[in-house]
Amino acid sequence: MGVRLMVVDDHRLLAEALASALKLRGHRVLAAAAPAAGAAELVIARAPEVCLLGTATPAEPGTFDPVAKIKRERPQVAVLVLGPVPSPRGIAAAFAAGASGYVRHDERIEGVERAIMKARAGEAAVAPQLLQGAFSELLNPVAQPDDEGQRLLRMLTPREVEVLVRVADGEDTRLIAAGMGIAPSTARTHVQRVLMKLGVGSRLEAAALAARTGLLDHAGPFHPAGRTDNGVRREP
């Protein structure tokens, strides 16, 4: 008997190709879509038996938020993640969010179909060795020593960290220059270097990235020279 499915993947062409292959094998595919905003809502609205959810970044924070949302709203929907060769952390994150299984992107269609049937039956659709690693990670979580905030912080010089602190505080170029005792042109150059190193296009994006990754938390307490704790410049 065919399974009522939805296919959601980063690449629409891949989603549609997989959907077509599954239709040829007798399954009813309700929709094939890319995981843009609203993908989880689409799955919740259509309520398939199994949702195939593709991802290219299983270890990235927030990757499996759609899984958690689907399971909250439609706990009967089995979510099967399609992704690259995962780390135990990625597998653990998928299962922690409520996924029923994990299938590698390079799996043959027969393997995908077997995983679908297992997921619909309420079984864990994942290779035993991957499942063992995932459970070990869930039961014995370890601190991640090289998270994104620390990685980004290592890219900045101490002066650039000071500039980023001031940018995050909302200071413009004039205030940054005055607070650091440098020319506005120099302050502007420092800001541009910070934006370039962080891979963002604006000061607002830099401040948002610093907040999201906890970058400035890793830098510890930082009071630029000549400032008191409340940001008022001391007179020499």
Side-chain angles (χ1 to χ4, degrees):
M1 180 184 297
V3 180
R4 293 171 60 251
L5 300 166
M6 284 190 66
V7 182
V8 180
D9 198 277
D10 290 319
H11 301 94
R12 185 174 296 276
L13 185 61
L14 177 59
E16 292 177 351
L18 181 55
S20 296
L22 291 169
K23 285 179 182 178
L24 290 174
R25 300 179 77 86
H27 300 289
R28 182 186 175 195
V29 181
L30 303 179
E41 285 78 5
L42 181 61
V43 174
I44 292 167
R46 302 300 298 274
E49 294 177 277
V50 178
C51 169
L52 301 176
L53 177 68
T55 179
T57 56
E60 287 293 315
T63 294
F64 299 114
D65 288 351
V67 178
K69 184 171 185 177
I70 291 168
K71 296 303 291 185
R72 283 196 305 270
E73 299 293 330
R74 295 285 188 179
Q76 73 276 19
V77 175
V79 181
L80 189 61
V81 175
L82 303 174
V85 178
S87 66
R89 184 176 294 274
I91 288 282
F95 276 95
S100 298
Y102 191 105
V103 179
R104 286 170 44 170
H105 268 149
D106 58 357
E107 181 63 78
R108 296 173 62 88
I109 188 64
E110 293 84 3
V112 175
E113 188 172 38
R114 284 194 297 271
I116 289 170
M117 302 309 290
K118 282 187 175 182
R120 185 177 69 167
E123 301 176 29
V126 64
Q129 64 272 26
L130 296 181
L131 189 60
Q132 182 178 5
F135 283 163
S136 296
E137 181 72 25
L138 285 171
L139 294 173
N140 303 290
V142 294
Q144 176 55 269
D146 187 25
D147 66 12
E148 188 179 4
Q150 290 173 324
R151 178 182 66 81
L152 293 172
L153 184 63
R154 287 196 296 269
M155 298 168 59
L156 304 177
T157 67
R159 172 139 292 200
E160 288 165 350
V161 173
E162 180 177 351
V163 169
L164 181 57
V165 170
R166 293 177 181 277
V167 167
D169 284 344
E171 293 187 7
D172 59 17
T173 300
R174 179 183 58 81
L175 287 175
I176 292 172
M180 297 178 67
I182 57 179
S185 59
T186 303
R188 192 174 299 108
T189 297
H190 283 315
V191 171
Q192 289 304 315
R193 285 178 179 169
V194 169
L195 299 185
M196 180 183 67
K197 288 184 177 182
L198 296 182
V200 296
S202 70
R203 299 179 186 216
L204 183 60
E205 290 180 78
L209 179 62
R212 179 175 64 81
T213 63
L215 189 159
L216 298 181
D217 294 335
H218 292 302
F222 189 91
H223 302 297
R227 298 173 77 192
T228 63
D229 287 351
N230 64 6
V232 177
R233 183 168 177 77
R234 296 192 187 99
E235 293 300 327

